[in-house]
Amino acid sequence: MKLFYFSMFLNGILILLTFVYITLIDQGQVYTYLHYDLVGNLINIIASQVMLFLIFHLSFSRMKKQQLYYEQVQQAERLKMIANLTAAVAHEIRNPVTVVRGFLQLYQQDPTFDVSDKSKFKLMIDELNTVEHITSQFLTLSKPNGDLKPERVDVKDVLHSVTSLLSSYAMLSDNHIDIDVEENCTILINTIEFKQLLMNLIKNAVEASEAGMSVSVTARRSRHDIEIRIIDQGSGMSEDEVKSLGTPFYSLKSNGTGLGLMICFNIVEKYSGEIHYHSVKGQGTTVTVRFLAVNEK
């Protein structure tokens, strides 16, 4: 595209110089046929340049559409491969989860444990239920999951729940999570999927942050939207790396698969939200997620 515009500009300069030469210097001695109808020839040359521009523009637009279609086909193939892989291992994952959850439920009913221990058992059972749901969602990455109904969710309650679970994880690398949420931030979304979305994004921010740094999580309500921002103080990403986020098997972590962030993008798209990444090398990353606000009754 840049080369074409440069050639068009250079061609225009040469045409202008040519007509200046014919008009002021040659004056019809050599190029009589051009000088005889100078305006008509000028219009003819300009029209040919316009036709070249239109042909290039249409061809380039068609090439871009074909490239986009090819990328969509590749994406569909990758999704199909992911579904086949996860279907093969889902049964093996669910078996140990079911066993562990069964023992935890048994301990939860054991009278020898006090109330404090039973509340911890309940928390672990809830997290195992989340693991089972995530495993099931891997099987439906290539198609929308319509069996989970949206509900009115208080963003503040879910954020506090997620950050309390991740605080101990952040302390392992001497990081901490700062949360600042406005009141009356309510959206329409499935609670499990929303929790999964926040868990992935905040966990990624903690892992990207340098030791001793903090991760800032804020939620603000505007007139129509709820805006959630997760800001880390890590090494940041380049523009090309940001564009590749959400692609299957693309991850900046050594042991990452890229599937977690892909699920985040799918969840946001499912509920007609928006997710944007702003990152600068050496200056950290800001993730902005927006959902339509729901008025309190």
Side-chain angles (χ1 to χ4, degrees):
M1 179 70 77
K2 292 180 180 179
L3 180 62
F4 174 77
Y5 284 131
F6 174 75
S7 65
M8 288 287 291
F9 174 76
L10 184 61
N11 199 21
I13 296 293
L14 293 176
I15 291 173
L16 180 62
L17 292 176
T18 300
F19 275 87
V20 168
Y21 172 78
I22 293 173
T23 304
L24 301 179
I25 299 176
D26 179 69
Q27 295 184 350
Q29 294 180 4
V30 179
Y31 301 100
T32 307
Y33 61 96
L34 291 177
H35 192 271
Y36 179 76
D37 189 8
L38 195 62
V39 176
N41 283 289
L42 180 61
I43 294 175
N44 187 24
I45 293 176
I46 292 176
S48 64
Q49 299 302 307
V50 172
M51 288 184 64
L52 285 174
F53 174 79
L54 291 176
I55 291 172
F56 173 81
H57 181 72
L58 293 174
S59 301
F60 188 78
S61 299
R62 185 175 180 181
M63 289 172 59
K64 293 292 289 184
K65 290 179 180 178
Q66 288 178 340
Q67 182 181 3
L68 179 61
Y69 174 74
Y70 178 70
E71 292 175 352
Q72 290 174 345
V73 171
Q74 285 186 317
Q75 178 82 349
E77 291 296 327
R78 285 193 289 262
L79 290 174
K80 182 179 179 181
M81 182 174 61
I82 293 169
N84 292 334
L85 289 173
T86 51
V89 300
H91 182 70
E92 300 301 326
I93 293 176
R94 285 173 174 171
N95 278 345
V97 168
T98 302
V99 173
V100 173
R101 184 173 56 184
F103 275 105
L104 289 174
Q105 290 173 340
L106 182 63
Y107 293 151
Q108 191 179 21
Q109 299 173 0
D110 193 334
T112 59
F113 292 100
D114 56 25
V115 177
S116 176
D117 291 331
K118 290 183 177 181
S119 64
K120 295 176 183 178
F121 292 149
K122 184 180 183 303
L123 178 62
M124 287 186 282
I125 292 172
D126 291 340
E127 292 306 306
L128 287 175
N129 290 334
T130 303
V131 170
E132 186 174 359
H133 164 71
I134 294 172
T135 305
S136 300
Q137 192 173 27
F138 272 111
L139 300 175
T140 55
L141 278 175
S142 58
K143 58 182 180 179
N145 194 349
D147 57 341
L148 295 176
K149 303 300 181 182
E151 53 193 331
R152 297 170 66 92
V153 174
D154 191 326
V155 175
K156 185 175 182 178
D157 292 342
V158 177
L159 272 176
H160 278 292
S161 174
V162 170
T163 52
S164 64
L165 290 172
L166 290 176
S167 293
S168 57
Y169 177 77
M171 291 175 61
L172 295 175
S173 53
D174 197 24
N175 298 116
H176 59 280
I177 303 172
D178 298 329
I179 182 171
D180 182 15
V181 186
E182 287 185 353
E183 298 291 339
N184 299 324
C185 290
T186 306
I187 60 177
L188 196 64
I189 194 173
N190 180 266
T191 306
I192 297 177
E193 290 181 315
F194 185 49
K195 185 176 180 181
Q196 181 183 0
L197 169 68
L198 295 176
M199 287 279 285
N200 280 328
L201 295 180
I202 298 175
K203 185 172 178 289
N204 287 343
V206 171
E207 293 175 347
S209 298
E210 302 291 339
M213 297 297 182
S214 63
V215 173
S216 174
V217 182
T218 63
R220 297 285 183 267
R221 180 188 178 98
S222 64
R223 184 175 180 181
H224 301 292
D225 299 320
I226 303 296
E227 181 180 277
I228 304 169
R229 287 193 176 186
I230 302 169
I231 306 172
D232 66 58
Q233 302 180 43
S235 57
M237 296 177 288
S238 66
E239 185 177 349
D240 291 336
E241 290 172 340
V242 171
K243 289 181 180 179
S244 299
L245 294 177
T247 304
F249 305 116
Y250 179 83
S251 177
L252 298 175
K253 295 183 287 187
S254 58
N255 59 344
T257 62
L259 298 181
L261 198 54
M262 179 183 172
I263 293 175
C264 292
F265 276 77
N266 288 347
I267 293 174
V268 173
E269 182 181 1
K270 176 181 178 180
Y271 294 99
S272 303
E274 298 178 359
I275 180 169
H276 301 286
Y277 273 81
H278 176 73
S279 185
V280 179
K281 277 289 188 180
Q283 299 182 20
T285 302
T286 299
V287 187
T288 304
V289 181
R290 293 187 184 91
F291 288 106
L292 186 65
V294 178
N295 295 325
E296 292 289 341
K297 292 183 178 180

